[in-house]
Amino acid sequence: MKPSDIEARMRALEYFHDLRLLPGTWAVIRVDGRSFSKLTETAFEKPFDARFHAMMVATASALMEDFQGLYAYTESDEISILFAPEWGLFDRELEKLVSLSAATASAAFSLEIGARVSFDSRVWLGPSESLVVDYFRWRQADATRCALNGWCYWALRKEGMSARAASRVLKGQGTEFKNELLFERGINFNDVPAWQRRGTGLLWERWVKAGFNPKTGQETVAERRRLKVDESLPMKDDYSAYIQALLSSARA
Ligand SMILES: Nc1nc2c(ncn2[C@@H]2O[C@H](COP(=O)(O)OP(=O)(O)O)[C@@H](O)[C@H]2O)c(=O)[nH]1
Ligand SMILES: [Mg+2]
């Protein structure tokens, strides 16, 4: 067999290599920690731990920087990174984007925690701006639901209830029941830190760096950008408006 033949035949079996994100569409890459229920079982406060959250924010920052995302949203052990329709990193190759985003998240979080952890990764495509808004509303609703449930679950567990019994109490119950359960225990869910109920956003902000040129003796100004961490996101329709404003500014 000629070397060129084997090259072509082997390359052809790299079957998924040609897959690319649909051109001209918004995209979100979402990474999620593998078996983080187990990881957080010991050594982290329940239901939420500020140190754990800081590690997730650091991981989201690494993804924003390495992939040049427009916006990141993190809740629990997941991070969604939004990309504009014209974003062309790695020529939009799916395998590259999914594998490297998982790798970047895994490496960044592992360095933070000092142990080996891994993240999975998937891609969501947004054919319209309103679907992108819906996507982030969906993840935020998930954050709120999980936070309320988590607070209830751990309130019961801390009273000595078994895991199975606590899950049974909460199964099929709605928001009102869960809010009441917490209220009876002196916890007002609305007073729980916003990052737990609403998640956290990361976005680029512009700032002007003042400097001095010793050669000319003149003051200089340079526009730079840096990541802003928003720990008090709006919710529901206000969050829709927040995301829509971000999409519009990207288009401008
Ligand atoms: N103790 C603690 N656990 C957390 C925190 N944030 C996320 N987790 C855990 O991470 C899990 C994430 O859910 P999921 O991805 O479905 O679980 P996985 O499949 O085990 O990674 C939650 O169920 C929690 O157990 C936190 O701040 N503190
Ligand atoms: Mg997970």
Side-chain angles (χ1 to χ4, degrees):
M1 202 171 357
K2 282 192 290 192
S4 59
D5 283 352
I6 192 160
E7 173 77 17
R9 287 174 57 212
M10 293 303 111
R11 290 283 178 211
L13 291 169
E14 286 182 344
Y15 193 72
F16 301 103
H17 194 64
D18 286 340
L19 277 179
R20 286 185 164 73
L21 307 194
L22 202 63
T25 45
W26 295 91
V28 174
I29 293 180
R30 183 166 82 253
V31 298
D32 185 294
R34 180 185 180 189
S35 301
F36 271 32
S37 312
K38 196 150 170 264
L39 175 81
T40 52
E41 216 162 62
T42 51
F44 286 108
E45 267 180 55
K46 296 173 179 82
F48 287 99
D49 188 299
R51 274 185 315 128
F52 176 84
H53 175 58
M55 292 175 194
M56 288 302 297
V57 170
T59 304
S61 305
L63 287 166
M64 282 289 274
E65 279 162 10
D66 285 11
F67 289 78
Q68 293 304 306
L70 192 64
Y71 174 66
Y73 175 76
T74 180
E75 55 118 345
S76 185
D77 70 337
E78 69 169 57
I79 302 163
S80 296
I81 312 276
L82 172 68
F83 300 98
E86 60 278 8
W87 177 69
L89 191 68
F90 298 121
D91 207 15
R92 293 171 80 91
E93 276 176 30
L94 184 69
E95 283 191 327
K96 278 264 193 220
L97 295 170
V98 164
S99 59
L100 282 173
S101 56
T104 301
S106 305
F109 197 95
S110 297
L111 285 174
E112 291 290 320
I113 201 171
R116 182 161 55 82
V117 306
S118 44
F119 282 76
D120 68 25
S121 176
R122 70 191 65 192
V123 169
W124 177 91
L125 288 177
S128 70
E129 291 190 4
S130 72
L131 280 166
V132 175
V133 170
D134 288 349
Y135 175 89
F136 286 100
R137 284 287 297 269
W138 171 52
R139 295 329 297 154
Q140 189 180 56
D142 181 76
T144 309
R145 193 174 43 78
C146 292
L148 180 60
N149 199 67
W151 271 95
C152 289
Y153 177 82
W154 285 104
L156 296 172
R157 291 293 308 276
K158 284 171 187 173
E159 285 171 4
M161 207 178 266
S162 70
R164 187 191 287 211
S167 300
R168 208 180 315 122
V169 169
L170 298 173
K171 193 162 183 234
Q173 296 292 356
T175 309
E176 209 171 314
F177 174 90
K178 292 177 185 173
N179 271 306
E180 192 54 37
L181 184 147
L182 291 179
F183 207 67
E184 282 164 7
R185 288 159 177 81
I187 302 164
N188 184 342
F189 186 63
N190 287 325
D191 294 339
V192 164
W195 61 266
Q196 301 180 9
R197 289 177 291 120
R198 302 178 180 195
T200 299
L202 286 86
L203 49 169
W204 296 104
E205 68 176 3
R206 300 210 167 276
W207 66 291
V208 175
K209 186 175 185 234
F212 181 75
N213 184 335
K215 279 196 189 142
T216 61
Q218 290 202 318
E219 308 237 322
T220 58
V221 284
E223 203 178 67
R224 294 278 151 81
R225 64 177 202 165
R226 65 184 166 202
L227 278 174
K228 178 181 152 191
V229 179
D230 192 343
E231 298 275 23
S232 49
L233 289 176
M235 67 189 301
K236 298 190 174 169
D237 287 350
D238 291 338
Y239 188 47
S240 294
Y242 180 99
I243 297 294
Q244 186 56 59
L246 199 86
L247 304 182
S248 303
S249 74
R251 227 189 307 111

